[in-house]
């Protein structure tokens, strides 16, 4: 496995410059993972497949789904890509590299664990600030246009929010100056996590059924259904920040009622 990764990486660094890999390569990887993981949930919703696992009974219209995709492409090419290019010198200065040797799996694992921890902390507070009255009305309400989220709505947001909460994702790598392969793996995991959190389905194989501190789709779907002043559930990947600061009490209460059969699916 290691030799296969080495061979693949050798091909990339031989045929493409560090700038091309860091900027264009990162952008293409992000777009591929994001749309390939998010588009199937649009199909599931339209076709009605696996509807028994759908968290809400409501469906988005094809027009609403199309609007989301159009805006996403605009934001990705006009905000995300320029941001990746503009931040390249900063990451280089912080120690990011694409050259050999590749980092060990121990190093990669330790760094990504650190990224998840610091991203959860920064995202929680940034997200909670976005739910203050002025910022919600003028910025964060764009993301909440979809009270019934589907995978691709995970990155549907005001450009200011993309910059604001995007900081939570990049602050960890900026502090450690990782190898590009570590950054790519972190990006893939983060995209898959946020798409799953917004997918609108809670499956028997969902990670939240196996990882006690993992939020997942059921946890975040609750956040989209409620008014901004009462939603709670501000966490990103893991839920301990909401538990510590008591911002998940409404969700826990609702979950208990559902488990006791006192409330039906909305």
């Amino acid at each position: 496995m290691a030799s296969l990764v080495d061979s693949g990486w050798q091909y990339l660094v031989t045929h493409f410059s560090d700038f091309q890999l860091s900027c264009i390569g990162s952008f293409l990887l992000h777009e591929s993972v994001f749309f390939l993981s998010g588009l199937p949930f649009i199909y599931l919703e339209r076709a009605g497949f696996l509807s028994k696992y759908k968290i809400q009974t409501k469906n988005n219209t094809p027009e609403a789904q199309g609007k989301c995709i159009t805006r996403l492409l605009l934001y990705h090419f006009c905000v995300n890509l320029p941001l990746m290019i503009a931040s390249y010198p900063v990451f280089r200065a912080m120690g990011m590299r694409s050259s050999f040797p590749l980092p060990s799996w121990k190093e990669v694992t330790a760094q990504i664990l650190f990224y998840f921890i610091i991203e959860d902390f920064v995202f929680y507070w940034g997200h909670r600030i976005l739910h203050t009255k002025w910022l919600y009305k003028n910025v964060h309400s764009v993301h909440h246009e979809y009270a019934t989220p589907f995978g691709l709505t995970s990155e549907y947001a005001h450009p200011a929010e993309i910059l604001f909460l995007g900081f939570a994702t990049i602050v960890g790598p900026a502090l450690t100056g990782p190898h590009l392969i570590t950054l790519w793996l972190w990006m893939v995991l983060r995209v898959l996590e946020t798409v799953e959190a917004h997918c609108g389905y809670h499956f028997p194989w969902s990670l939240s059924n196996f990882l006690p501190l993992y939020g997942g789709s059921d946890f975040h779907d609750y956040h989209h259904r409620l008014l901004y002043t009462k939603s709670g559930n501000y966490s990103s990947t893991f839920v301990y920040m909401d538990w510590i600061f008591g911002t998940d009490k409404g969700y826990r209460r609702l979950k208990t009622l559902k488990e006791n059969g006192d409330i039906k699916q909305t």
Side-chain angles (χ1 to χ4, degrees):
M1 180 63 181
S3 60
L4 182 62
V5 174
D6 285 346
S7 299
W9 200 259
Q10 182 64 57
Y11 176 86
L12 290 176
V13 297
T14 301
H15 292 82
F16 302 98
S17 68
D18 185 78
F19 174 82
Q20 290 172 325
L21 290 173
S22 300
C23 299
I24 309 304
S26 296
F27 180 75
L28 293 176
L29 178 63
H30 171 274
E31 297 303 287
S32 300
V33 175
F34 177 70
F35 282 104
L36 287 175
S37 62
L39 283 172
F41 292 106
I42 289 182
Y43 175 73
L44 287 180
E45 190 173 57
R46 291 188 182 184
F49 292 153
L50 302 176
S51 57
K52 67 178 180 179
Y53 299 122
K54 199 170 186 303
I55 298 169
Q56 299 186 48
T57 56
K58 301 174 184 176
N59 287 324
N60 293 282
T61 64
E63 291 75 19
Q65 294 170 337
K67 174 188 173 184
C68 177
I69 294 173
T70 302
R71 291 279 184 90
L72 282 170
L73 290 172
L74 177 65
Y75 293 156
H76 285 184
F77 279 95
C78 297
V79 179
N80 291 16
L81 180 57
L83 183 62
M84 286 181 178
I85 295 173
S87 61
Y88 172 72
V90 177
F91 274 90
R92 286 287 295 171
M94 297 295 287
M96 187 189 73
R97 61 183 179 84
S98 61
S99 57
F100 281 96
L102 296 178
S104 67
W105 283 110
K106 289 183 178 179
E107 180 182 342
V108 171
T109 303
Q111 287 186 336
I112 288 181
L113 178 61
F114 171 70
Y115 299 162
F116 270 117
I117 293 172
I118 197 168
E119 196 273 343
D120 270 325
F121 180 83
V122 176
F123 185 97
Y124 174 86
W125 289 110
H127 192 188
R128 200 166 167 180
I129 290 170
L130 284 173
H131 275 264
T132 55
K133 188 174 182 179
W134 189 92
L135 283 173
Y136 183 89
K137 179 181 178 181
N138 294 281
V139 178
H140 194 48
S141 59
V142 173
H143 181 65
H144 279 268
E145 286 178 17
Y146 293 89
T148 306
F150 53 94
L152 296 183
T153 60
S154 57
E155 294 191 4
Y156 181 87
H158 191 286
E161 179 175 342
I162 295 173
L163 297 174
F164 186 58
L165 288 184
F167 175 75
T169 301
I170 66 172
V171 64
L175 290 173
T176 62
H179 193 281
L180 182 60
I181 199 170
T182 307
L183 187 63
W184 280 4
L185 181 57
W186 163 240
M187 181 173 62
V188 168
L189 292 174
R190 185 71 185 91
V191 168
L192 292 176
E193 180 278 321
T194 191
V195 167
E196 193 273 337
H198 290 81
C199 75
Y201 291 81
H202 184 70
F203 301 110
W205 55 85
S206 295
L207 277 178
S208 55
N209 293 327
F210 307 100
L211 297 178
L213 292 177
Y214 185 83
S217 56
D218 189 63
F219 184 83
H220 194 69
D221 198 274
Y222 173 86
H223 175 81
H224 274 262
R225 296 202 304 271
L226 271 66
L227 294 173
Y228 78 94
T229 54
K230 301 178 180 178
S231 58
N233 289 22
Y234 302 114
S235 294
S236 174
T237 304
F238 300 102
V239 302
Y240 59 89
M241 291 293 290
D242 278 291
W243 180 78
I244 292 173
F245 294 99
T247 47
D248 63 348
K249 291 180 179 178
Y251 169 73
R252 299 298 173 195
R253 193 179 303 116
L254 180 65
K255 193 172 182 180
T256 300
L257 289 172
K258 283 185 175 181
E259 290 172 352
N260 294 335
D262 297 328
I263 190 170
K264 295 181 179 180
Q265 183 186 30
T266 57

